[in-house]
Amino acid sequence: MAPPATLSRVDLALLAGLALVSAALLLWATGSAILAAGFAAGLAVAAGGVVLARRLFPAATRGEAAAPDWTILRQAVNHDDVAIAVTDRAGRMVCANDLFATWMGGFVTPPGLPLDGRGVELLKNAGRAAWRDGEGRADDIAIGPLQLRAQVTRTGQAEDYLVWRFAAVERFDLVAELTRHLGGPAGRTLGHAGVMAALVNHEGRLRAANEAFLLRALGEDDARHFAGRDVAPMLRLDDGGALYFAREGDRATPVRLIQIPLAPADSTTPVLLAMLDEEMGPADRGTAQTYVETLLSLLPFGLALVDRDGRFLYMNRAFVRAANLPDGKKPRYPGDIVVAEDKGPLADMIRRHSSGQQVGGDLSIRLAGQSGEPVSMRIVGVRGLGEAAVLLSLKDSSEESRLKRQVAQASKMQAVGQLAGGVAHDFNNILTAVLGACDLMLMRHTPGDSDYDDIQQIRSNANRAASLTRQLLAFSRQQTLRPQILQLPDVISEVSHLLKRLIGETVQLSVRHGRGLGAVRADPGQLEQVIINLAVNARDAMPGGGTLTIETYPVSAADVRQIGNEFMPPADYCALKVSDTGTGIPADILPKIFEPFFTTKDVGKGTGLGLSTVYGIIKQSAGFIFADSQPGEGTSFTIYLPVHRVAGEAPAAPQPTAKPKKSQWGSGTILLVEDEDMVRAVAERALARAGYTVITAAQGEEGLERFDELEKVDLVISDVVMPTMDGPAMVRAMRTRRPGLPVLFMSGYAEEQLRQSIDIDDVSFLPKPFSVAQLAEATSAALDEAAHRGRRDG
């Protein structure tokens, strides 16, 4: 008999690793550490049973590899109110929770969901933004009756997965809330106070009412079947204009009717009716007003009562909040809450309605002490409430205005970014020709020649222009990054010696590092540029000297939740904070500092691209940057970069190995395809001088014709964006005839941006602008890589 199976150390390590990874997934999906810990323990027990079964029954578990079973992950990401799906880089569905299938009508792969209106387009844009920036959002998308908000995050060890989270947007349904309250305790409370309330639709039919109204209008027998009945027959007017309940006959008590609009200037919205018995003495007038105030206090939108002299009598909490009034300081007149220009029109309209006009009207006003954006105020004349003569309705639009400003700002930044990227691309073509021509001329001149210094000056200015285009591409998040796994203290250490020379002797540099910092994935050169730009701005803000402080510290997911920033998802970050003791930034300027070409410096002393470059680099690195400043007290910029983890642990930063410099000479036939004549001419001369045989074409179709005419092509060098047929389409056609054809793409756009649209394997990339030497080295490297692939595949 065989001895009983036991778990080896390898098995135990496998179980522990599986439990840790699964717990991390559950913690990421739900945010609950307790649930994640419990799930990890349970999964370890379950996985132990699997391993033990494999030991006991090896024959049963041996065989062909099965498809991955995502059942455990589906259970891990199950959520009561968030629909979650995971897709891979090929756009295939990997996994989704049960709520996703319920909401979407099955496991439909995003972004091809059955969304209403522009929902599909918005979701596609969010997915593209997630591939590019690490995160994308789509607000106000609808699928049937559901209003959803989507968040898309790039994740995975190789960042080749997208996680789609869909949350329902809570929308306040005023009519539904009133219907519920009138039939519940609130309606009974009003009835005990003598207020009969009913909700009537735009056709005059009853939708809801409290018990006091139903008993007076219909009687006990018919009160249970009130829905949809016409309200007009329930009421009657006598010759004197007094209003009565019709069923009460001659002994009826007259009632006062108050109409409360639920939506300004909307004839299809139901109306709330409040009725009070008319027979009361002068002493009871205040009681009637108290009843109405009780009713108004229950409503979730801003309402206030004004007397005939235009003074406030009452305002509910929603009105105070909408008008942004300080606690305990109720204004005397409605004109006190608006700007000076709107005081006269508001007073005139209140005067007209208080004198008898009962038809409501809308007035666009601007509230004092706020952003100046107009809001709508509804003004309705009322009767029978003693001193009260006018009812004011004010909508709290602060959140709506904030969202509008954010959307406008995002749209503006996106438009400027697209413009900047397009301008930079065109300039890169021009600069490639200028730099190439300078390099070719320098080959014919030596130091000391009369033209040598002039050519060097032209080349130097062209490089400065190339730096400016890189800043534009950084702002528009279209630059080519070379990300590495690194530690922030190492980057700061590399650049600190340069900072000391930049900030001068009057500014003291202080550097502090926190413990437990994780690794981040970023381009070290661009990260150094970020630090330098922030340090130079800080130096300029301290003309009389001061202290520049650079500090790093870890930020956990719990810390992010405590910060409460809606744009930064909870995760582990490494924070880099750059602070100064300078003059600070005024509050009206602070929101504009990341806009391109915005500068407070004198003409000729700044391009306005420093902070916009910083913003673009950080966003392209999947990070976040926030500014905080108090005039006269200094400014601080805080950068949050996500911690880079592999299999649940942060690896040590690898030391980049220096690549051997490629030769600038070679041999072979090169097909050069470039639609810009000046770039094509310079590249052809440069490659010919390096020893290659060069065949040129001005666009994709011509390139295919040349390719078919040639017996042998060792390398195709092509621009990416060309008219009629672009570079990738041309290369795909060529590779159908020769699958292993070596290709070197060159473009003024960013490599990361292009690789999302170029689904071609084994291609090299050369960003514009480039020098003659860089073109020769890239050509040699592409040929060497192709030869290496040929030996490996052979």
Side-chain angles (χ1 to χ4, degrees):
M1 182 177 179
T6 59
L7 297 178
S8 67
R9 293 182 179 179
V10 175
D11 296 328
L12 293 175
L14 176 62
L15 294 179
L18 181 59
L20 284 175
V21 172
S22 302
L25 282 172
L26 189 56
L27 176 61
W28 162 73
T30 66
S32 172
I34 296 176
L35 186 59
F39 180 83
L43 183 59
V45 174
V50 174
V51 175
L52 186 59
R54 289 184 175 179
R55 291 301 183 89
L56 290 173
F57 310 102
T61 58
R62 192 181 304 118
E64 295 182 0
D69 182 4
W70 298 102
T71 306
I72 294 177
L73 182 58
R74 278 187 57 200
Q75 291 298 322
V77 300
N78 261 343
H79 205 282
D80 290 338
D81 55 4
V82 177
I84 301 174
V86 181
T87 58
D88 61 15
R89 186 168 286 278
R92 295 170 298 199
M93 175 77 80
V94 173
C95 179
N97 64 2
D98 294 335
L99 184 61
F100 180 89
T102 301
W103 282 359
M104 310 305 174
F107 294 102
V108 185
T109 305
L113 302 175
L115 301 176
D116 300 337
R118 296 181 58 247
V120 175
E121 180 184 352
L122 295 174
L123 203 58
K124 284 182 179 179
N125 292 338
R128 295 190 190 100
W131 283 124
R132 183 182 67 242
D133 306 330
E135 183 180 3
R137 298 176 68 92
D139 295 325
D140 200 19
I141 59 177
I143 178 168
L146 275 176
Q147 293 290 331
L148 301 176
R149 179 185 297 112
Q151 179 184 15
V152 191
T153 307
R154 187 180 67 216
T155 187
Q157 178 176 343
E159 296 190 346
D160 50 1
Y161 291 92
L162 290 184
V163 177
W164 308 73
R165 296 182 183 89
F166 298 88
V169 179
E170 295 184 2
R171 294 186 178 274
F172 184 80
D173 190 340
L174 179 58
V175 174
E177 288 296 309
L178 285 173
T179 302
R180 181 171 63 88
H181 284 301
L182 287 177
R188 289 192 294 272
T189 301
L190 289 173
H192 294 156
V195 178
M196 295 155 284
L199 191 64
V200 181
N201 68 12
H202 66 284
E203 295 178 346
R205 299 189 177 276
L206 200 61
R207 292 194 54 165
N210 67 350
E211 187 177 358
F213 179 91
L214 295 175
L215 292 176
R216 293 284 298 274
L218 299 173
E220 189 172 352
D221 295 336
D222 296 334
R224 299 177 182 177
H225 309 289
F226 67 87
R229 297 185 63 168
D230 194 351
V231 176
M234 302 178 191
L235 304 171
R236 66 178 178 86
L237 283 172
D238 65 9
D239 296 337
L243 183 67
Y244 301 88
F245 282 109
R247 66 174 296 274
E248 293 181 348
D250 297 336
R251 293 177 297 175
T253 301
V255 293
R256 292 195 184 96
L257 175 63
I258 303 172
Q259 298 186 35
I260 302 175
L262 301 184
D266 188 350
S267 59
T268 63
T269 303
V271 175
L272 181 64
L273 304 180
M275 298 183 183
L276 300 165
D277 285 336
E278 178 73 28
E279 286 187 348
M280 58 182 64
D284 296 325
R285 299 287 185 178
T287 305
Q289 185 174 314
T290 302
Y291 292 159
V292 176
E293 291 176 3
T294 303
L295 173 64
L296 299 185
S297 67
L298 297 174
L299 300 178
F301 52 92
L303 292 167
L305 292 173
V306 178
D307 65 14
R308 288 176 174 78
D309 295 327
R311 291 188 295 262
F312 276 120
L313 292 174
Y314 170 79
M315 59 183 69
N316 64 3
R317 288 188 296 271
F319 189 94
V320 173
R321 185 168 55 251
N324 197 25
L325 301 177
D327 295 336
K329 293 184 178 180
K330 188 175 76 171
R332 189 174 184 182
Y333 294 97
D336 296 337
I337 69 173
V338 300
V339 298
E341 294 83 355
D342 294 338
K343 291 180 183 291
L346 178 58
D348 290 341
M349 197 164 186
I350 291 175
R351 189 180 303 111
R352 288 198 305 272
H353 285 78
S354 65
S355 62
Q357 183 179 345
Q358 290 186 290
V359 179
D362 294 317
L363 182 65
S364 180
I365 60 171
R366 289 164 295 170
L367 296 173
Q370 295 195 19
S371 61
E373 295 184 4
V375 297
S376 178
M377 177 177 284
R378 179 78 167 172
I379 302 171
V380 181
V382 295
R383 291 181 179 177
L385 288 183
E387 296 180 2
V390 177
L391 179 68
L392 303 182
S393 173
L394 185 63
K395 180 183 177 182
D396 184 0
S397 57
S398 57
E399 181 67 15
E400 181 181 347
S401 299
R402 184 184 67 83
L403 292 176
K404 285 182 179 179
R405 288 194 298 270
Q406 288 181 354
V407 171
Q409 177 71 2
S411 301
K412 179 173 65 176
M413 298 291 274
Q414 181 181 10
V416 175
Q418 292 174 348
L419 174 63
V423 170
H425 172 260
D426 293 338
F427 267 99
N428 280 335
N429 278 325
I430 298 172
L431 294 173
T432 299
V434 173
L435 287 171
C438 289
D439 289 341
L440 293 173
M441 292 174 66
L442 288 174
M443 292 178 183
R444 302 193 303 268
H445 295 77
T446 58
D449 289 353
S450 58
D451 296 333
Y452 184 85
D453 291 339
D454 294 335
I455 298 172
Q456 283 284 27
Q457 186 66 32
I458 295 173
R459 192 175 190 278
S460 175
N461 288 328
N463 280 323
R464 287 183 59 193
S467 176
L468 186 63
T469 62
R470 281 192 295 271
Q471 288 181 312
L472 287 171
L473 287 172
F475 162 71
S476 58
R477 308 181 210 173
Q478 297 175 15
Q479 65 174 340
T480 298
L481 296 181
R482 297 289 181 262
Q484 299 178 13
I485 311 303
L486 48 84
Q487 295 282 347
L488 287 180
D490 296 339
V491 178
I492 296 172
S493 176
E494 287 291 328
V495 78
S496 59
H497 65 284
L498 177 60
L499 290 180
K500 292 177 181 178
R501 292 199 299 269
L502 283 174
I503 62 179
E505 298 179 355
T506 60
V507 177
Q508 180 182 357
L509 177 63
S510 174
V511 180
R512 298 195 295 264
H513 297 301
R515 296 183 178 182
L517 286 169
V520 298
R521 186 174 184 270
D523 186 324
Q526 296 297 329
L527 206 53
E528 289 178 2
Q529 185 66 43
V530 166
I531 298 171
I532 290 173
N533 284 4
L534 293 177
V536 169
N537 279 351
R539 176 203 65 190
D540 295 340
M542 299 182 288
T547 301
L548 172 63
T549 303
I550 302 177
E551 52 186 320
T552 59
Y553 53 91
V555 179
S556 66
D559 296 332
V560 175
R561 293 189 186 95
Q562 190 173 2
I563 293 173
N565 189 291
E566 58 183 317
F567 300 106
M568 192 165 68
D572 292 336
Y573 294 89
C574 289
L576 169 63
K577 188 173 185 179
V578 180
S579 308
D580 63 62
T581 58
T583 56
I585 303 174
D588 58 330
I589 293 179
L590 192 61
K592 305 176 183 179
I593 58 176
F594 292 119
E595 295 181 9
F597 309 113
F598 176 81
T599 179
T600 58
K601 298 178 181 179
D602 296 336
V603 177
K605 294 187 177 181
T607 62
L609 286 174
L611 288 178
S612 63
T613 300
V614 169
Y615 177 85
I617 292 172
I618 296 304
K619 296 303 290 184
Q620 197 173 354
S621 303
F624 301 87
I625 181 170
F626 304 101
D628 184 28
S629 181
Q630 293 293 333
E633 299 180 8
T635 303
S636 63
F637 289 88
T638 306
I639 297 168
Y640 298 92
L641 294 174
V643 173
H644 183 78
R645 299 191 183 280
V646 178
E649 294 186 2
Q655 297 296 327
T657 56
K659 294 183 179 180
K661 194 172 183 179
K662 296 296 180 181
S663 172
Q664 296 188 17
W665 303 93
S667 60
T669 301
I670 294 177
L671 176 59
L672 174 64
V673 186
E674 168 62 61
D675 62 316
E676 290 285 344
D677 295 340
M678 51 188 175
V679 176
R680 186 174 65 253
V682 168
E684 180 184 7
R685 290 179 57 192
L687 292 171
R689 289 181 64 93
Y692 299 101
T693 301
V694 185
I695 309 299
T696 63
Q699 37 87 10
E701 290 89 342
E702 186 181 352
L704 278 178
E705 294 175 3
R706 298 287 183 271
F707 182 78
D708 292 335
E709 295 170 357
L710 296 172
E711 294 183 1
K712 179 183 179 183
V713 175
D714 296 293
L715 177 66
V716 173
I717 301 178
S718 172
D719 192 14
V720 176
V721 180
M722 293 184 294
T724 62
M725 175 180 280
D726 60 14
M730 180 192 70
V731 169
R732 290 189 195 98
M734 292 177 177
R735 282 196 171 176
T736 59
R737 306 164 199 179
R738 181 182 165 188
L741 178 67
V743 176
L744 171 62
F745 280 126
M746 53 184 179
S747 178
Y749 291 107
E751 179 179 2
E752 287 81 4
Q753 184 186 19
L754 293 174
R755 286 196 182 277
Q756 293 182 20
S757 58
I758 301 176
D759 54 345
I760 305 176
D761 297 328
D762 300 327
V763 295
S764 302
F765 182 83
L766 178 63
K768 297 177 182 178
F770 49 78
S771 64
V772 168
Q774 289 171 331
L775 175 61
E777 291 175 9
T779 301
S780 178
L783 289 170
D784 289 349
E785 289 176 7
H788 176 70
R789 285 196 302 270
R791 290 192 298 268
R792 180 190 61 195
D793 298 338

